[in-house]
Structures are given as structure tokens and as C-alpha cells.
Amino acid sequence: MISGDDFYKVMCAMIPLYFAMLVAYASVKWWKIFSPEQCSGINRFVAVFAVPILSFHFISQNNPYHMDTKFIIADTLSKVIVLVLLSLWAVFFNGDLDWVITLFSVSTLPNTLVMGIPLLKAMYGDFTQSLMVQLVVLQCIIWYTLLLFLFEYRAATLLIQTQFPGSTAASITKFEIDGDVISLDGRDPLCTESEIDGNGHIRVRIRRSTSSAPDSALSSSINITPRASNLSNAEIYSVNTPARNAEISFGQGELVFGYRMSSPRLSGYASSDAYSLQPTPRASNFNELDSTTVTTANTPIWIRSPAGGKVFRQPSPAFSCVKMMWESPGKGERQGGKDVVVHEDLSFRDSSKFPAAEKEEAKGAVSSQGMPRAHVMLGLILIMVGRKLSRNPNAYSSVLGLFWSLISFRWNVGMPSLVKYSIKIISDAGLGMAMFSLGLFMALQPHIIACGTKMATIGMVIRFVSGPILMSASSVAVGLRGARLHTAIVQAALPQGIVPFVFAREYGLHPDILSTGVIFGMLVSLPVTLLYYILLGI
């Protein structure tokens, strides 16, 4: 039976975290202390330093030679069951890969690091910290990598279906990706070059479109000076036309917030920048503008397609290489003497943006759509996943923390005091800063429930009911009992993890659902987890 002291102990662990989130929310929403640019800086610090160092701190202190095998198997089994069920649904019942990815994210990937460790430690004791750290290691190294693999597979499939419809794609034998192409998520404008050899085999090169169009053809017709941009999903230009104020929106779909600007140096903040995996700064893109160039017979011609805002490079009869760009031009007005933020919305990123008729047409053409061989697709996806992970600070912190713990507990080597306390001073603030960052994110959203009441209800049921039920079944099956069983069930009822939302935002796949899971889930999780704690203690 749960006593009053036990309940108070749990509240003492959780209320400070929610206090940090509330202060951040009020600072933006009500008190107007932080601007979007300042929020971007705070969240960049949290993403690059606070959370990775906090993760390293916990992982490096966990003994990897005394792992709880049954607990790990139970957690892994619950995730595998969900993945298998969703895969069977997709294969035998014509399920959509988009929903497979989203449902897997919602049902199996909770916020274990920020919420799980302090909550479970207060509920069941210090031993739960080690259990939660073990799950954090698996999440960062295995499950987030698998999720990223699925997102890149989806992006690669959309790319191929868009650029090589019908049976043409089956002839692709090799993909070559330029070194500055980080991902196929659509945040950076890309273009493809295809070459066909004498045997009918197609070799495709993928590169950023900023270097693909003739500079003179674009800059000569439009008087624009491109500059570097530090923002995800936004590019900045200087345009010489009469000055006036502009109201600009940022974000995508329903995840949009706006403000009226009068300063020539204002810039926007994309909500996913809190834990963004994109490098910064990034060169501004100036090659996707409306332009037509008349050239000689042997020179490719750049024209604008009347549909979809796509720019194509059409070859002359003597030119065998076809280059295409599948991005849409940015939206925004030209403001004289001002820097105008132009939001680019890549057309292949979010399949929900296509009209219903087009989607039905696409479904009917799936049977005739060819795809490259499995090893060709696998090579493309692994390269993209590797490049994405190489720019993720959490991946480095997890691997380094695990590596140090293996050395430390194997040979009883202590961390030097200078390094130990340098890490500790940031990790001590990591939990508070992570919750503060969540509060900023909540305040910058126009709606707490961005996906609608019905979809939010379904998401909450999957997150807080289906997840714990599957976890309890898996835990009982492997023999977990007592406090460890209760720990497994409560951790499955934690709110939605941040990283799955970031992936959904970057790849344009149901970000409104994941956003609602993060924001509304944080508000619902405290009473839900307390209810599980009380019921399991009876």
C-alpha cells in the first residue's frame, strides 16, 4: 500500500521539473521575456551540451557488467512485438508505412532520460536508475537508429517514386551521394543526376542543388544577394525593394508560429531545432528561384514546371544526363533593405499534403512501381543514417559513456577529478534545462493539441494504455516480478520522447501527432503515472 510519505516523495521529485517547464512557458507566453531567437539559442545549448552531457553522466556511472538481463529482454520484446504486429498489418492488410513509423514511435519510445530516471527513483528506489540508464543506452544506440533507418527508407522510397516512376527505378544499380548531403529528409534542396550505360543500368548521383544551377543564369535575372543562414528550415535573402513591415510564419503544417517584424535582422526559430540533428550554419539556397535561361544547343536549359513549383534541367538532344530538383520554391515576400525569411516546403516530405485524388492515383500505381535491388537501397539508406548519426551529439555521448563505463568498471579506473566535476556541473543542470526547453517549445506552439481532439485521444490511449499493457505482458512472460515489474510498467507510461518528434518534424511525417504527444503528454503523464503507481501498490 502506498503511504502518504511515499506519495510526497514522488511529488518532491516531479514538481521541480514541472516548475522549470512552467517558468519557461510563462517567460515566453505571458511575460514575453524571451524572443524566438533567444529560445533558439537556449535550445541549441540544451541539444548540443546539456542533454548529451547528462546522458554521458548517467551512462558512464552505470556498470555494464551487471545489466538486468530480464528487464532488457522484456523491454526489447515489447518493442519487437509492436514492430512485428505493425509489419504484418502493413504487409497483409495494405497498411501504410507512414503509420507504421508513427505508431511505433508513439507506443514504444518514452522520455526515459528526462522523466524516467527521477520519477522511478522516487517511486521504487535507487536501483531503478540503473534500469533506466540501460534503457537509455538501448534507445540511443539501437531503437533511435532503427527509427532513423525507417525514416530514411521512407524518404528514399518517395524520392525514387517521384524521380523514377514506373519500372525505370528497377534499373538503378548505384547511388552516389555528395559529401555535403546529410539526409534525404527534404530540409536541404537536393537534385538528382542520372546516367544510363550501354546495358541500360542507371547510375544516380544525389547532390545539393545550391551547386547545380548555373549561378549566372539565376543571379543575372534577379538582383538577390544570398547570405549564410543559421536556421533550420529557413533561408535569408537581401532584396532591394521598398521597405515595409512583414508578417512571417515559421514551421510546417499546423506547427506554425508567427510574429510581425520591423528589424532587418530578425530570424525564425523552428521548433524542432531544440534537438535538431542538422548542422549549423548552413549555406543559404539561391538556386530554386523562378528562372529561364536561353542557351546554345549543347547546353542544358533551366525551366520552371507549371505544376508543383519544381525546377527541371532539361538536356539538349546531345546531352544524356538528366538532372531534376524536386523541391518547391520558398514562400515569402521581397522586402526592400530587409532580410526576409523564406520558408521552403519540399514537396516530397509530407505525403499528407498531396490531394486525395493524387494519393489514390499513387496507390493504384504502387503495383507497377519498380524499385532498385535490396543491396542498392540498403547501401543508400546506411550511408544516410551514418551521416545523420555522425551529427547527433547524443549518439557520441551514449557511445563514449558506454565505452568509458566498460573501461572504468573492468579495471576499476576512476575519472580524473577535473573531468568529473566539469561534466557534473553541466549534468546537474541538464534535467532542469531539458524541462525548461520543453516549456519554451510548448509556449511557441499555437495549439497544445495540434492534431485534433480525436487523434490526440487515440495517441494518448496508445501511449498511456497500450504501451503499459504490452510491457506488462512482456515482463510477466520473461519472469519479472515485484518492484522490477512495477518499474517496467510505469516507465512504459512515461510521456512521448523528444527524439521521435524531432525525426517526425524533420521528415515531415505526422509532426502534429508527435508534437501533441510531447506537449499534452507531459501534462497528462504525471497523474497517469501516479495512478499506475497507486494501483500497482495496492
Side-chain angles (χ1 to χ4, degrees):
M1 187 68 181
I2 304 300
S3 65
D5 290 340
D6 293 332
F7 183 81
Y8 181 74
K9 185 178 179 182
V10 172
M11 297 303 292
C12 287
M14 298 309 298
I15 292 301
L17 294 178
Y18 279 87
F19 177 75
M21 186 174 68
L22 178 62
V23 168
Y25 182 87
S27 298
V28 175
K29 201 75 171 180
W30 303 326
W31 303 332
K32 310 297 182 183
I33 294 176
F34 298 112
S35 65
E37 297 83 15
Q38 293 166 333
C39 292
S40 180
I42 294 171
N43 285 293
R44 178 62 67 180
F45 169 78
V46 172
V48 176
F49 294 106
V51 171
I53 290 177
L54 177 67
S55 178
F56 174 84
H57 173 72
F58 282 126
I59 295 173
S60 64
Q61 291 185 340
N62 182 63
N63 189 345
Y65 301 103
H66 291 87
M67 306 284 276
D68 193 319
T69 307
K70 286 186 176 181
F71 193 86
I72 293 174
I73 292 176
D75 179 75
T76 303
L77 181 60
S78 66
K79 291 178 171 61
V80 170
I81 289 174
V82 172
L83 199 57
V84 169
L85 291 176
L86 292 174
S87 300
L88 292 175
W89 170 69
V91 172
F92 295 106
F93 299 95
N94 296 322
D96 193 352
L97 176 62
D98 293 4
W99 284 108
V100 170
I101 297 173
T102 300
L103 292 174
F104 178 75
S105 301
V106 171
S107 60
T108 63
L109 298 175
N111 193 345
T112 307
L113 177 64
V114 177
M115 292 289 293
I117 292 177
L119 177 62
L120 274 301
K121 186 177 180 181
M123 287 182 173
Y124 298 109
D126 293 340
F127 79 96
T128 59
Q129 177 173 318
S130 176
L131 298 179
M132 293 301 102
V133 170
Q134 293 169 30
L135 297 188
V136 169
V137 173
L138 292 178
Q139 275 189 354
C140 294
I141 296 178
I142 297 177
W143 300 115
Y144 288 158
T145 303
L146 174 62
L147 187 63
L148 185 59
F149 184 93
L150 293 175
F151 274 112
E152 286 292 341
Y153 172 76
R154 171 184 176 270
T157 302
L158 290 175
L159 184 156
I160 292 170
Q161 291 175 351
T162 304
Q163 300 302 309
F164 303 94
S167 60
T168 307
S171 301
I172 297 176
T173 58
K174 185 177 182 181
F175 286 98
E176 295 180 356
I177 306 100
D178 282 11
D180 58 351
V181 176
I182 301 164
S183 172
L184 303 178
D185 59 14
R187 300 187 69 168
D188 290 327
L190 304 175
C191 71
T192 60
E193 298 177 12
S194 59
E195 294 181 358
I196 305 176
D197 61 17
N199 298 321
H201 297 157
I202 301 176
R203 179 176 62 86
V204 178
R205 179 187 176 189
I206 303 175
R207 68 181 185 179
R208 292 182 63 171
S209 61
T210 53
S211 60
S212 58
D215 295 347
S216 59
L218 299 168
S219 58
S220 61
S221 60
I222 303 175
N223 185 21
I224 293 181
T225 304
R227 296 191 295 103
S229 171
N230 286 324
L231 304 177
S232 300
N233 267 3
E235 306 300 336
I236 300 177
Y237 300 89
S238 297
V239 186
N240 297 322
T241 52
R244 60 185 179 88
N245 291 341
E247 185 171 350
I248 299 174
S249 296
F250 304 87
Q252 177 180 352
E254 291 185 311
L255 292 175
V256 178
F257 68 93
Y259 60 92
R260 188 169 298 276
M261 76 173 193
S262 57
S263 169
R265 290 292 182 265
L266 286 180
S267 59
Y269 160 66
S271 57
S272 64
D273 287 348
Y275 299 92
S276 177
L277 306 185
Q278 294 294 332
T280 182
R282 199 172 72 233
S284 291
N285 174 29
F286 59 92
N287 288 332
E288 287 71 54
L289 298 174
D290 199 355
S291 176
T292 302
T293 307
V294 180
T295 56
T296 61
N298 292 326
T299 304
I301 301 173
W302 290 85
I303 66 171
R304 179 180 177 123
S305 169
K310 298 179 182 179
V311 181
F312 298 92
R313 184 176 183 180
Q314 294 189 342
S316 65
F319 205 79
S320 62
C321 177
V322 180
K323 300 183 181 181
M324 301 183 189
M325 296 181 215
W326 56 89
E327 73 274 7
S328 298
K331 300 176 182 178
E333 301 180 7
R334 301 179 187 176
Q335 309 298 332
K338 293 183 178 289
D339 294 333
V340 179
V341 178
V342 181
H343 172 65
E344 294 186 350
D345 189 7
L346 306 191
S347 59
F348 70 90
R349 290 185 63 206
D350 193 349
S351 59
S352 66
K353 294 188 176 183
F354 295 126
E358 292 184 14
K359 293 185 74 172
E360 292 300 325
E361 215 174 285
K363 286 184 179 180
V366 167
S367 57
S368 62
Q369 174 65 48
M371 293 296 290
R373 292 185 178 181
H375 72 276
V376 177
M377 286 290 291
L378 183 63
L380 170 65
I381 296 168
L382 288 179
I383 291 174
M384 293 294 95
V385 170
R387 292 184 182 180
K388 195 90 168 180
L389 290 176
S390 68
R391 290 161 173 82
N392 184 359
N394 284 310
Y396 288 103
S397 66
S398 300
V399 173
L400 290 176
L402 181 61
F403 180 73
W404 174 255
S405 65
L406 289 170
I407 295 175
S408 176
F409 288 96
R410 177 66 177 84
W411 289 287
N412 196 25
V413 177
M415 188 176 294
S417 297
L418 286 175
V419 178
K420 178 180 178 180
Y421 291 111
S422 298
I423 292 174
K424 187 176 183 298
I425 197 170
I426 297 181
S427 65
D428 286 347
L431 282 177
M433 287 300 299
M435 294 299 292
F436 192 88
S437 175
L438 282 172
L440 296 178
F441 168 70
M442 290 175 61
L444 291 171
Q445 305 310 308
H447 306 289
I448 292 180
I449 301 178
C451 61
T453 305
K454 181 180 178 180
M455 191 60 67
T457 302
I458 295 174
M460 294 302 106
V461 170
I462 293 174
R463 172 71 266 158
F464 296 113
V465 178
S466 300
I469 288 176
L470 284 170
M471 188 64 191
S472 61
S474 303
S475 301
V476 171
V478 301
L480 284 183
R481 298 294 186 272
R484 291 191 302 166
L485 174 61
H486 298 171
T487 300
I489 295 173
V490 174
Q491 72 85 25
L494 294 172
Q496 179 66 52
I498 302 295
V499 174
F501 161 70
V502 174
F503 287 162
R505 178 66 178 83
E506 291 181 348
Y507 289 87
L509 179 60
H510 304 140
D512 52 348
I513 297 176
L514 275 297
S515 170
T516 302
V518 172
I519 299 174
F520 191 60
M522 287 295 298
L523 303 177
V524 173
S525 66
L526 182 58
V528 169
T529 50
L530 287 174
L531 180 61
Y532 276 110
Y533 178 54
I534 294 171
L535 293 176
L536 292 171
I538 296 176

